[in-house]
Amino acid sequence: MLDNSNRQDMVVYEKDGDVLYIRLPVEFDHFASRNMKVETEALVTAAEIRNVVFDFTRTEFMDSTGIGILMGRYKYMKYIGGNVYVWHVGPHIRRMLDVSGISKLITELEG
């Protein structure tokens, strides 16, 4: 497990086999996202990750930066032959995913 913090305002990374779980903070915005591109690419490469799961359990707010991060990780994982999923998406976040069109590209996991 690559747990860098349990704080509500931090991104937490956990590896399980070839899956990287990214537990998003309460606010998935520019501040929370500033290092995510570099960190996820480094973890995906070093740990031979094939699947990335964005866990929205704690997330109450997401802005356009969060949408951009999701699209960027989707494109990167498709390029290397992997997949991206979203998990525990609440109604407000689901609306953002629907309006942006991301819900047509990224599969939502059940459970």
Side-chain angles (χ1 to χ4, degrees):
M1 177 163 64
L2 305 170
D3 187 348
N4 57 356
S5 176
N6 285 324
R7 293 179 44 201
Q8 293 290 315
D9 61 344
M10 299 294 292
V11 176
V12 177
Y13 300 94
E14 294 182 33
K15 180 187 177 302
D16 183 10
D18 70 346
V19 180
L20 177 64
Y21 292 92
I22 302 174
R23 197 169 22 183
L24 299 170
V26 172
E27 295 187 2
F28 186 24
D29 56 10
H30 175 74
F31 177 76
S33 304
R34 67 181 183 271
N35 298 319
M36 193 176 291
K37 177 182 186 277
V38 173
E39 291 170 346
T40 56
E41 285 182 14
L43 290 168
V44 164
T45 302
E48 299 180 0
I49 299 295
R50 303 315 304 149
N51 300 287
V52 174
V53 177
F54 286 93
D55 181 352
F56 283 88
T57 301
R58 303 182 297 171
T59 309
E60 298 171 4
F61 172 82
M62 178 174 65
D63 66 8
S64 61
T65 306
I67 296 292
I69 290 291
L70 291 173
M71 280 303 301
R73 298 312 80 215
Y74 170 79
K75 289 178 182 178
Y76 178 72
M77 291 305 292
K78 285 296 174 192
Y79 175 75
I80 65 168
N83 301 295
V84 173
Y85 303 94
V86 293
W87 193 28
H88 296 138
V89 177
H92 296 337
I93 303 301
R94 181 169 289 108
R95 179 155 165 69
M96 290 281 296
L97 297 177
D98 289 345
V99 168
S100 68
I102 288 181
S103 60
K104 294 178 182 174
L105 300 173
I106 298 176
T107 302
E108 183 174 350
L109 297 176
E110 298 293 322

